[in-house]
Amino acid sequence: SAVISQKPSRDICQRGTSLTIQCQVDSQVTMMFWYRQQPGQSLTLIATANQGSEATYESGFVIDKFPISRPNLTFSTLTVSNMSPEDSSIYLCSALTGTGVNEQYFGPGTRLTVT
Amino acid sequence: LAKTTQPISMDSYEGQEVNITCSHNNIATNDYITWYQQFPSQGPRFIIQGYKTKVTNEVASLFIPADRKSSTLSLPRVSLSDTAVYYCLVGDELDSSYKLIFGSGTRLLVRP
């Protein structure tokens, strides 16, 4: 298993600014992912955070808006750039430990409100 | 990745058995069926996974018929704390992307 923490847990930001969300795993993991979840809605995959290379983005998400870093096997960051109120959402990271097919561990999420 | 269809919501009472069925008509040969549970203000949590027949763990059972075009998550004797959203996903163990694509999920409400 893996325990995942995220910082910050919540934030209120002004439009036009950027916020970097940190995701820390308590053990080395093979893969890490970033999701977005609107209140009351399902999760939408933003990107796969690749260690040592550029992230792989899903359709509708671009690197300029959501730059991602993954400097090692336990840590990743997601930046939400030039924020607008439409970016208000919960952002979650997850990790795949490799012990089970499709068994990902999720962080508690970062609740972002853009005013 | 195969698409899944689940009921939007279900109601139950404490102590009852709850069965949530998921349809995945286009499931591929290599796909596994996985269920996640999400409580309010938390990230999803892996519950159970199977390929065929029946799988049981300390939390739930997963029933998969021979044609694998559907699956049923069974929660025995639910309690108020089982109120959550339950997601059914199918994924290919051979797909090196290991991406999880979440559907709409089933919102389970357990009443006293």
Side-chain angles (χ1 to χ4, degrees), chain B residues 1-110:
Chain B
L1 296 171
K3 182 178 178 180
T4 60
T5 304
Q6 309 172 228
I8 293 175
S9 64
M10 295 181 67
D11 280 13
S12 183
Y13 291 92
E14 280 190 294
Q16 289 187 335
E17 178 183 75
V18 171
N19 296 308
I20 306 174
T21 297
C22 177
S23 293
H24 27 80
N25 291 319
N26 297 321
I27 190 168
T29 302
N30 296 323
D31 282 344
Y32 277 70
I33 301 157
T34 310
W35 286 80
Y36 279 78
Q37 174 191 55
Q38 185 177 27
F39 297 115
S41 302
Q42 294 187 26
R45 180 176 76 112
F46 172 91
I47 302 178
I48 197 166
Q49 180 173 263
Y51 183 80
K52 62 181 179 180
T53 63
K54 176 184 175 182
V55 180
T56 297
N57 62 21
E58 65 279 3
V59 177
S61 294
L62 178 59
F63 298 91
I64 306 169
D67 66 5
R68 302 195 335 117
K69 293 185 182 298
S70 67
S71 59
T72 299
L73 176 72
S74 181
L75 305 172
R77 298 182 59 78
V78 294
S79 64
L80 297 177
S81 62
D82 291 316
T83 292
V85 179
Y86 293 83
Y87 294 98
C88 165
L89 301 92
V90 293
D92 179 0
E93 68 165 342
L94 300 180
D95 177 358
S96 60
S97 72
Y98 292 100
K99 296 190 298 188
L100 293 181
I101 306 299
F102 284 80
S104 58
T106 297
R107 192 172 298 273
L108 173 65
L109 174 63
V110 180

Side-chain angles (χ1 to χ4, degrees), chain A residues 62-85:
Chain A
V62 296
I63 187 171
D64 290 345
K65 176 67 176 178
F66 298 100
I68 289 171
S69 78
R70 189 180 172 196
N72 56 51
L73 293 176
T74 64
F75 186 78
S76 177
T77 66
L78 168 75
T79 299
V80 186
S81 304
N82 188 25
M83 287 183 286
S84 67

Side-chain angles (χ1 to χ4, degrees), chain A residues 35-114:
Chain A
Y35 293 82
R36 183 170 72 181
Q37 185 174 31
Q38 306 281 358
Q41 302 297 314
S42 183
L43 289 81
T44 301
L45 179 63
I46 297 173
T48 302
N50 299 310
Q51 197 265 327
S53 64
E54 194 171 282
T56 304
Y57 291 85
E58 297 300 305
S59 175
F61 298 96
V62 296
I63 187 171
D64 290 345
K65 176 67 176 178
F66 298 100
I68 289 171
S69 78
R70 189 180 172 196
N72 56 51
L73 293 176
T74 64
F75 186 78
S76 177
T77 66
L78 168 75
T79 299
V80 186
S81 304
N82 188 25
M83 287 183 286
S84 67
E86 292 71 36
D87 295 319
S88 297
S89 190
I90 299 169
Y91 293 85
L92 301 103
C93 71
S94 73
L96 186 67
T97 63
T99 57
V101 176
N102 298 330
E103 184 173 353
Q104 292 188 15
Y105 295 88
F106 283 80
T110 295
R111 183 179 294 269
L112 171 62
T113 302
V114 184

Side-chain angles (χ1 to χ4, degrees), chain A residues 8-53:
Chain A
S9 58
R10 60 177 60 222
D11 206 343
I12 301 173
C13 302
Q14 292 195 349
R15 68 176 66 203
T17 63
S18 297
L19 175 72
T20 295
I21 302 168
Q22 298 180 5
C23 178
Q24 179 73 55
V25 190
D26 68 343
S27 58
Q28 293 186 348
V29 294
T30 55
M31 303 186 75
M32 296 181 72
F33 305 87
W34 287 97
Y35 293 82
R36 183 170 72 181
Q37 185 174 31
Q38 306 281 358
Q41 302 297 314
S42 183
L43 289 81
T44 301
L45 179 63
I46 297 173
T48 302
N50 299 310
Q51 197 265 327
S53 64

